[in-house]
Amino acid sequence: MVQTYDYFCTDALADDVIYLKVLVWFAFVVDQVRSMAVTASAWQSLVVAWGNPSNFLGKVIFPVMTVPLTGLESCVVQIFFSWRIWTLRNDSKVCRLIAVLISLIALLQLSAAVVRGVVCAQPPSTARRPYNMEITAKLWLAGTFICDFIIVATMTCLLFQAKLESSFNATRRVVDRLIIVTLETGAITLTATLVQLIFYFRYPPNSLQQVGVMYILGGLYSNVLLSILNGRKRARRQLAETSHNFSLHFTDQSLPPPRSSSSHQDGLQSK
């Protein structure tokens, strides 16, 4: 919420295209709905069903709503990075292919997250319910992890290439800052997804170890998106300060004025 306020209440980003503003509002609304679902599930588990740890997973609100909304948030952010890769190097067929691959994997993990929510809403007596929950969870988490890894690797390579192609120190410092931000924000979601994936394979599906990461996973993606967008203000400010401080200093040397041809001829005639 704070980062959303910071994005809309600044003049530095007022010239953003309407699509980015709609994207920020959409991510904000989805994150708020997911937060309400998580809060309702926590109330049900910690207050209503106090003393019964098996209710931490929740049978209605948490798996049915939180998992699809988390997949939606991650899909939106991943497609945003896919669009950035496409626009940064739209002249490269490899980068365009990577952008398309990221979008396809993002849609795949979103579909798996939605299907998992539908499966969780089915009665426990359904014959294929355990198998469907297992396969959808693997596709959702593995797809999210692979997509995040491709994004971090591609963005880092593109920024390093831009740094090598630039001959200005100020631009290189800004690119260094962008590389650090990309690695930091990408490492957050990448690590959280990896931990969730390890918990899923290491512990039983109904264990409580998975709940903690799943509570915060969707919010991490929204914060990463807003951190990237708001981070452009610092980069623009740094470039503006560098351009204002840039000046040329010439040595002031007092040279005698050149003698004209007429004065030179007068001097010869006087001799």
Side-chain angles (χ1 to χ4, degrees):
M1 187 176 295
V2 175
Q3 293 202 70
T4 305
Y5 176 82
D6 188 23
Y7 175 81
F8 285 104
C9 296
T10 179
D11 297 331
L13 305 177
D15 57 343
D16 279 350
V17 295
I18 189 64
Y19 304 108
L20 281 180
K21 297 178 181 179
V22 172
L23 177 66
V24 172
W25 274 117
F26 180 77
F28 174 75
V29 171
V30 173
D31 188 63
Q32 294 303 308
V33 176
R34 183 197 57 81
S35 299
M36 289 187 288
V38 170
T39 304
S41 176
W43 178 268
Q44 177 184 357
S45 302
L46 299 175
V47 178
V48 177
W50 175 258
N52 187 5
S54 62
N55 285 308
F56 270 103
L57 294 177
K59 296 183 179 180
V60 179
I61 298 177
F62 180 71
V64 174
M65 293 189 61
T66 306
V67 176
L69 290 175
T70 300
L72 180 60
E73 286 186 83
S74 59
C75 179
V76 168
V77 177
Q78 289 161 355
I79 291 180
F80 166 76
F81 279 105
S82 172
W83 169 75
R84 291 194 71 181
I85 293 172
W86 182 286
T87 54
L88 285 175
R89 293 300 304 270
N90 55 4
D91 56 337
S92 175
K93 293 183 179 179
V94 176
C95 291
R96 286 185 291 179
L97 181 61
I98 292 175
V100 173
L101 179 63
I102 291 172
S103 300
L104 292 177
I105 298 176
L107 293 175
L108 173 64
Q109 65 88 13
L110 172 60
S111 302
V114 172
V115 173
R116 180 175 173 82
V118 174
V119 172
C120 291
Q122 295 178 351
S125 59
T126 305
R128 296 180 57 86
R129 187 173 185 268
Y131 173 78
N132 293 334
M133 291 185 64
E134 181 180 0
I135 192 64
T136 53
K138 290 180 179 179
L139 287 175
W140 168 45
L141 295 175
T144 304
F145 176 78
I146 294 172
C147 196
D148 290 345
F149 181 80
I150 296 175
I151 289 172
V152 173
T154 305
M155 290 295 297
T156 304
C157 291
L158 291 178
L159 291 174
F160 268 114
Q161 184 178 1
K163 178 182 177 180
L164 295 176
E165 293 176 353
S166 176
S167 58
F168 298 98
N169 292 329
T171 304
R172 290 182 178 180
R173 288 194 295 269
V174 173
V175 174
D176 285 336
R177 176 62 184 170
L178 293 176
I179 292 173
I180 294 174
V181 171
T182 301
L183 291 176
E184 288 177 347
T185 54
I188 293 174
T189 56
L190 193 65
T191 303
T193 307
L194 179 60
V195 171
Q196 180 70 17
L197 193 60
I198 292 174
F199 282 166
Y200 185 83
F201 283 103
R202 176 65 178 81
Y203 298 99
N206 294 328
S207 62
L208 301 179
Q209 284 81 359
Q210 305 180 37
V211 178
V213 180
M214 198 178 298
Y215 270 141
I216 64 174
L217 190 58
L220 291 178
Y221 281 97
S222 297
N223 280 277
V224 164
L225 173 64
L226 290 169
S227 297
I228 293 294
L229 294 177
N230 291 331
R232 296 175 301 161
K233 293 187 296 182
R234 294 186 292 270
R236 293 178 182 179
R237 191 182 304 115
Q238 184 176 355
L239 285 176
E241 292 175 355
T242 304
S243 61
H244 289 161
N245 295 330
F246 179 76
S247 61
L248 296 176
H249 300 281
F250 297 96
T251 304
D252 187 12
Q253 297 179 352
S254 58
L255 298 176
R259 298 177 63 183
S260 63
S261 59
S262 59
S263 61
H264 180 66
Q265 292 176 0
D266 292 343
L268 292 178
Q269 291 177 359
S270 63
K271 291 181 180 180

